[in-house]
């Protein structure tokens, strides 16, 4: 009995310590975003004020660099906040209108999709038991990754499809880009992992995606697409067919 009591106390302390660390990280990321915003704002302000008044290219380049780095810091802190919240549903899990959720994401990404001359094919998408905001994050992250890394010499082609297997749903979001070598396909889901040396992205997106999937009893992984590009696959619990999609929140 004493051993069991000690075990329960240890579990309680570990749970409390984990909760404290989570809260500390959330508060830190939130409060650091404001200084990053101010640095970016003041760099832009100085750049505008000095335009045409200071004949020194290095000054302008330095201000541009400060603004760019402050913007990257803002994006990084934003994604850290999203990662920390990724396993927390904003409401009760419910069947989602997947087509509607995807449509909203595509509308939000309409400009970058047009700039990339992307061609999109969307197949049947059965419902999953997940809240709409995090399902939207899944689609946004995968499409954003394809737009950032899938561009090659060929026009970008994207395919989104899904199928139901009993009580599970599997979604596939594929591109015709350069793909990811098999040895790196698990690594890219780690925090701050980037295979590209261009400095684009924060290295947090796919970690957010996997955290969301696992929080609802699913999983996420990469495979090679038919055209040699990259496929992001998600296995999620299926929505009960008799429950209305309108219950999605």
């Amino acid at each position: 009995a004493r051993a069991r009591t000690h075990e329960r106390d240890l579990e309680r302390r570990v749970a409390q310590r984990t909760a404290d660390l989570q809260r500390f990280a959330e508060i830190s990321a939130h409060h650091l975003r404001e200084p990053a915003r101010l640095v970016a704002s003041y760099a832009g302000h100085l750049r505008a004020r000095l335009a045409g008044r200071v004949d020194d290219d290095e000054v302008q380049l330095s201000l541009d660099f400060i603004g760019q780095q402050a913007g990257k810091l803002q994006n990084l802190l934003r994604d850290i906040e999203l990662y920390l919240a990724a396993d927390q549903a904003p409401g009760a899990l419910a069947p989602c209108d997947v087509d509607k959720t995807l449509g909203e994401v595509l509308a939000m990404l309409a400009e970058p999709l047009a700039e990339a001359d992307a061609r999109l094919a969307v197949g049947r998408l059965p419902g999953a038991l997940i809240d709409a905001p995090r399902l939207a994050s899944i689609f946004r992250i995968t499409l954003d990754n394809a737009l950032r890394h899938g561009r090659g010499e060929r026009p970008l082609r994207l395919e989104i499809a899904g199928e139901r297997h009993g009580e599970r749903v599997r979604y596939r979001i594929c591109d015709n880009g350069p793909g990811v070598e098999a040895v790196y396909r698990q690594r890219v889901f780690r925090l701050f992992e980037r295979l590209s040396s261009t400095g684009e992205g924060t290295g947090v997106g796919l970690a957010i995606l996997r955290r969301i999937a696992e929080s609802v009893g699913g999983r996420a992984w990469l495979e090679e697409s038919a055209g040699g590009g990259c496929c992001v696959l998600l296995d999620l619990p299926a929505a009960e067919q008799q429950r209305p999609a309108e219950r999605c929140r």
Side-chain angles (χ1 to χ4, degrees):
R2 181 178 299 178
R4 181 56 184 162
T5 299
H6 177 72
E7 184 179 338
R8 285 198 298 267
D9 288 344
L10 181 59
E11 290 175 352
R12 179 183 57 80
R13 289 198 298 270
V14 169
Q16 183 62 53
R17 182 64 59 85
T18 301
D20 289 345
L21 288 173
Q22 172 92 6
R23 182 61 178 158
F24 173 77
E26 290 172 352
I27 292 172
S28 298
H30 175 75
H31 284 287
L32 286 170
R33 287 187 71 179
E34 182 61 12
R37 185 191 69 80
L38 290 173
V39 170
S41 176
Y42 274 89
H45 177 70
L46 282 172
R47 188 166 53 248
R49 286 289 301 271
L50 295 176
R53 299 172 60 183
V54 176
D55 188 18
D56 189 334
D57 290 340
E58 285 198 17
V59 171
Q60 292 295 332
L61 287 172
S62 295
L63 289 172
D64 288 344
F65 180 79
I66 292 170
Q68 290 167 4
Q69 295 305 308
K72 288 183 178 181
L73 180 57
Q74 285 179 291
N75 292 337
L76 178 59
L77 292 168
R78 176 206 62 204
D79 283 358
I80 289 173
E81 285 189 298
L82 291 173
Y83 175 81
L84 292 169
D87 64 344
Q88 303 167 29
L93 297 182
C96 273
D97 186 333
V98 185
D99 292 321
K100 178 182 177 183
T101 301
L102 175 59
E104 292 170 351
V105 173
L106 292 176
M108 181 178 65
L109 296 176
E111 186 174 340
L113 286 168
E115 289 175 354
D117 192 24
R119 295 293 181 268
L120 185 67
V122 180
R124 179 175 173 272
L125 296 171
L129 195 61
I130 186 173
D131 52 282
R134 291 192 298 168
L135 181 62
S137 292
I138 284 174
F139 286 132
R140 179 188 59 77
I141 289 167
T142 51
L143 291 172
D144 186 60
N145 263 10
L147 285 165
R148 182 178 292 116
H149 303 296
R151 299 188 189 188
E153 296 180 357
R154 299 176 295 174
L156 181 61
R157 298 294 179 262
L158 299 167
E159 180 182 349
I160 303 175
E163 53 187 359
R164 179 166 180 149
H165 299 278
E167 296 182 354
R168 311 294 298 179
V169 166
R170 181 168 296 179
Y171 297 134
R172 297 173 58 89
I173 303 98
C174 303
D175 63 54
N176 64 337
V180 177
E181 293 182 37
V183 68
Y184 297 120
R185 288 177 194 163
Q186 288 296 322
R187 175 178 163 182
V188 294
F189 286 98
R190 301 175 188 169
L191 275 171
F192 308 124
E193 285 286 354
R194 290 184 300 193
L195 300 184
S196 171
S197 60
T198 62
E200 295 184 357
T202 62
V204 183
L206 289 178
I208 294 172
L209 186 148
R210 172 169 281 183
R211 190 169 167 91
I212 291 173
E214 291 179 348
S215 73
V216 298
R219 63 190 185 101
W221 69 99
L222 298 185
E223 290 183 359
E224 184 175 322
S225 70
C230 180
C231 276
V232 178
L233 288 91
L234 293 117
D235 180 84
L236 303 173
E240 296 178 22
Q241 293 178 332
Q242 68 271 24
R243 296 173 67 183
E246 286 73 19
R247 293 188 61 183
C248 176
R249 293 291 184 271

